Amino acid sequence: MGRGMYPPQPTIYVNNLCDKVKKEELKKSLYAIFSQFGEILEIVAAKNLKARGQAFVVFKDVNSASNALRSMQGFPFYEKPMRINYAKKKSDAVAKLDGSYVAKDHAKKGAKDKRKAPEQGGDAKRVAEQVPPMMGMMMGMPPPGMAPPAAVVPPPRPGPPAPPQRDGSEVPHKILFLQNLPQETTKMMLNMLFEQFPGFKETRPVPGRHDIAFVEFTTDNLASQAKQALNHFKITPTNDMQISFANK
């Protein structure tokens, strides 16, 4: 199919990414901006020079992948416009879900494997078996095992939540107050999340506090639209971002 768009499938291929971003930070940032479109099974990225600047995002279903492709095509990710296409082949994670997965014949690996031409992301296909699912990675789990998220992520404990609305307000304001942010949250990650909305001005992290931040818009109304869209958005599978209006 040449350089055109490949047939729709749950896995999208993202390239023209900033190759100076570390792999783990890249995967977390990709998860933060793509998880709004649907459940992500895994994100595959490689360290080697040949495969840097590209990644595969594996959704659970085609509709999520298609919405992500349409909405994020050309989106400035670390100041570079993303180029997105459907992947050429179905990922192993999706194949296992729909029952079409066929285990590779390890007895015949070796010379035959070496003769295989690299596809789309070069080593990315091989890396797919080495990188844990995104949810496991977000929890800081070790790579071995490759257990599905449902089997390894413990149920949320009803312990004391982060103080939600006591520090914020429900009176519309152009400045939003974010709470319950994960420790790995960066200003760049928040920028990419909120700059999709009109009127975005800036994000302001709080020194010494990774769990809270402020986001400013040009008007109260535009801030309200972003709040409505992203309140309770999961930056990671275990962190439900809470948004209120800052006190005037």
Side-chain angles (χ1 to χ4, degrees), residues 58-70:
V58 185
F59 287 94
K60 189 174 182 179
D61 57 77
V62 177
N63 287 339
S64 297
S66 297
N67 289 335
L69 186 150
R70 286 192 299 266

Side-chain angles (χ1 to χ4, degrees), residues 115-232:
R115 290 197 298 270
K116 289 185 178 179
E119 300 178 52
Q120 218 170 43
D123 289 343
K125 186 176 180 181
R126 283 185 286 121
V127 175
E129 297 183 0
Q130 302 170 5
V131 179
M134 188 61 187
M135 291 185 180
M137 184 277 295
M138 284 295 192
M139 294 292 295
M141 291 159 42
M146 292 296 291
V152 293
V153 179
R157 296 182 180 179
Q165 295 158 4
R166 294 182 61 183
D167 294 333
S169 168
E170 289 309 309
V171 178
H173 189 17
K174 66 179 182 179
I175 298 178
L176 301 176
F177 179 48
L178 315 183
Q179 298 179 87
N180 199 34
L181 301 175
Q183 187 169 4
E184 59 266 32
T185 303
T186 64
K187 183 176 181 179
M188 178 68 74
M189 191 183 296
L190 292 175
N191 283 345
M192 289 186 294
L193 201 56
F194 282 93
E195 67 186 5
Q196 306 173 62
F197 299 91
F200 170 77
K201 287 186 66 176
E202 64 173 350
T203 57
R204 296 199 294 269
V206 177
R209 292 287 303 273
H210 73 268
D211 58 326
I212 61 175
F214 294 91
V215 180
E216 182 174 355
F217 284 81
T218 54
T219 68
D220 295 359
N221 184 49
L222 293 175
S224 297
Q225 294 177 22
K227 175 181 179 296
Q228 183 176 6
L230 292 179
N231 193 23
H232 300 300

